[in-house]
Structure formats: structure tokens, C-alpha cells
């Protein structure tokens, strides 16, 4: 290993130790691994990260080859039709980005084939941005009710990205709105639904997200450093 690599991994370790020390009990960190190599992913796991978030199935498979069961694996990417095939469903411990009944049915069908019950989060388009994935806040309850009937899926909460801002305070209303929907659905006590996780906040917004009730945060840059491309 060369000198630069050692310096980089020392920085990564320090980032992780500091971040984990900052967080209240009961908050889980998902390390958002897009564009990182399997070796980089292994490094963060060795430094104390327990959950890896993958946007791309191909990258997930490559990293899984190296890291395996030393971490849990969350899919956090945009769903393409047929993007989650059998091998991917075997890898993932949770899918955070379900936003339609069609996708849920596909996951359910394939999980039934491999005898798995997949925990999922519903992705909420809290910013109501037309080009973004996620269900609109007012549509989430009906979607959860429909998905709750699928036997190989278990709804366990909500995820949101929110619009990208430079100033983290600007994210607050979108996190508040997602929390409101979360509590509303939790209060319904639907069968086969367990509203336990609220996944909100990234490098520039996780502190605000924690104040607004997030118990999963998804962090890329703060853990791995700047991305060259994304
Ligand atoms: C990239 C990504 C993150 C983390 O972004 P950073 O700003 O690098 O922390 C979180 N969630 C999703 C869905 C992402 O794609």
C-alpha cells in the first residue's frame, strides 16, 4: 500500500469515529457507497460502519463479493424496472426506495421465489419535484395499505431525499413533512406494517434530520470524502 492510500484510509477512519461519536443512541448510519471501490467499502466497514447503502446493483454485487456479511446492505437507488433481480434480492437486507405498487409487487414476487421477506421503506418525494422518484406525501398512506397485503414484503418506515440545498436549514420543512406522514401511518397500526425507521439526511443535512426524528441517516461524502463523479 502506498503512502497516499494510507493517509486516505486514516482520514476515513477518523471521519467515521467522529461521526459515530456524535450520534445519539438508536440512530443507524448507512454509508452511501456510490462510485466507491469494493476496497474502500471494506475499509469503512472495518472502521465501524455496519450498513452499506448502494444505488447501483452492479456496484453492490462487486462490493458484496469483497465485504460479504460483515455489513448489512441497503438499496437506496432509483428503481429501474427489473433492476432488482434474484441475486440483488439475496444481497439486500432492506430496500429503502420503494415508491410504487408495481415495484413492490415485483419485489414481492421475486422474494417469494427465494423464500425471503424483504423489509422495505417507502420513498417519499417530500420536495414534490417532478423529476424525482418517491411517492407524493398524500399518496403514501394508500400505497402502504396496498403493499401491506403483500406477504413477502414488510413495510418498516419511510425514506426521503428532499431537494438538495447548500444550507441545511432549507431541508427542515421536507423532513418535518415526512415525519408527519410517518407518524400518521404509524398511528393507523396497519397489519404487516411496522413503522420503525425514518431514513432522512445526508452529509449536509443529517443534523437537521436528526432533530426532526430521523433514525437512519445516509452519509456518503462525510465518510468517504468527496466523490469524483456521482
Ligand atoms: C449519495 C446519496 C446519499 C449521500 O450523499 P452525501 O451528500 O454524499 O452524504 C444519501 N442518500 C442517497 C439516496 C444517495 O444517493
Amino acid at each position: 500500500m502506498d503512502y497516499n492510500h494510507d493517509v486516505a484510509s486514516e482520514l476515513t477512519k477518523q471521519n467515521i469515529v467522529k461521526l459515530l461519536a456524535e450520534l445519539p443512541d438508536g440512530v443507524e448510519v448507512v454509508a452511501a457507497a456510490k462510485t466507491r471501490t469494493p476496497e474502500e467499502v471494506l475499509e469503512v466497514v472495518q472502521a465501524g460502519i455496519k450498513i452499506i447503502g448502494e444505488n447501483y446493483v452492479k456496484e453492490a454485487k462487486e462490493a458484496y463479493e469483497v465485504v460479504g456479511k460483515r455489513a448489512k446492505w441497503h438499496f437506496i437507488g432509483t428503481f429501474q424496472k427489473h433492476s432488482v433481480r434474484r441475486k440483488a434480492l439475496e444481497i439486500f437486507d432492506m430496500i429503502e426506495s420503494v415508491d410504487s405498487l408495481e415495484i413492490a409487487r415485483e419485489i414481492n414476487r421475486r422474494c417469494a421465489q427465494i423464500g425471503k421477506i424483504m423489509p422495505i421503506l417507502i420513498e417519499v418525494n417530500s420536495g414534490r419535484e417532478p423529476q424525482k422518484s418517491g411517492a407524493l406525501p398524500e399518496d403514501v398512506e394508500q400505497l402502504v395499505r396496498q403493499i401491506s397485503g403483500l406477504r413477502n414484503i414488510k413495510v418498516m418506515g419511510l425514506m426521503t431525499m428532499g431537494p438538495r440545498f447548500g444550507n441545511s436549514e432549507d431541508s427542515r420543512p421536507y423532513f418535518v413533512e415526512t415525519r408527519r406522514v410517518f407518524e400518521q401511518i404509524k398511528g393507523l397500526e396497519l397489519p404487516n406494517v411496522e413503522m420503525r425507521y425514518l431514513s432522512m439526511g445526508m452529509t449536509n443535512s443529517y443534523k437537521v434530520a436528526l432533530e426532526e426524528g430521523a433514525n437512519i441517516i445516509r452519509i456518503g461524502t462525510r465518510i468517504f470524502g468527496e466523490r469524483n463523479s456521482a
Side-chain angles (χ1 to χ4, degrees), residues 14 109 129 144 225:
Q14 287 173 11
R109 189 175 69 78
E129 297 167 283
V144 172

Side-chain angles (χ1 to χ4, degrees), residues 30-34 36 54-55 76-78 96 123 159-161 164 201-205 217-223 225 227 230:
V30 172
K34 59 180 174 280
R36 314 297 177 175
E54 294 283 357
N55 292 65
I76 61 173
T78 305
E96 295 199 19
E123 182 174 353
M159 181 270 249
T160 198
M161 296 273 287
R164 281 248 177 202
M202 312 193 289
T203 293
N204 71 342
S205 60
I217 56 174
R218 305 179 313 274
I219 308 290
T221 311
R222 169 87 200 265
I223 290 175
R227 275 184 296 278

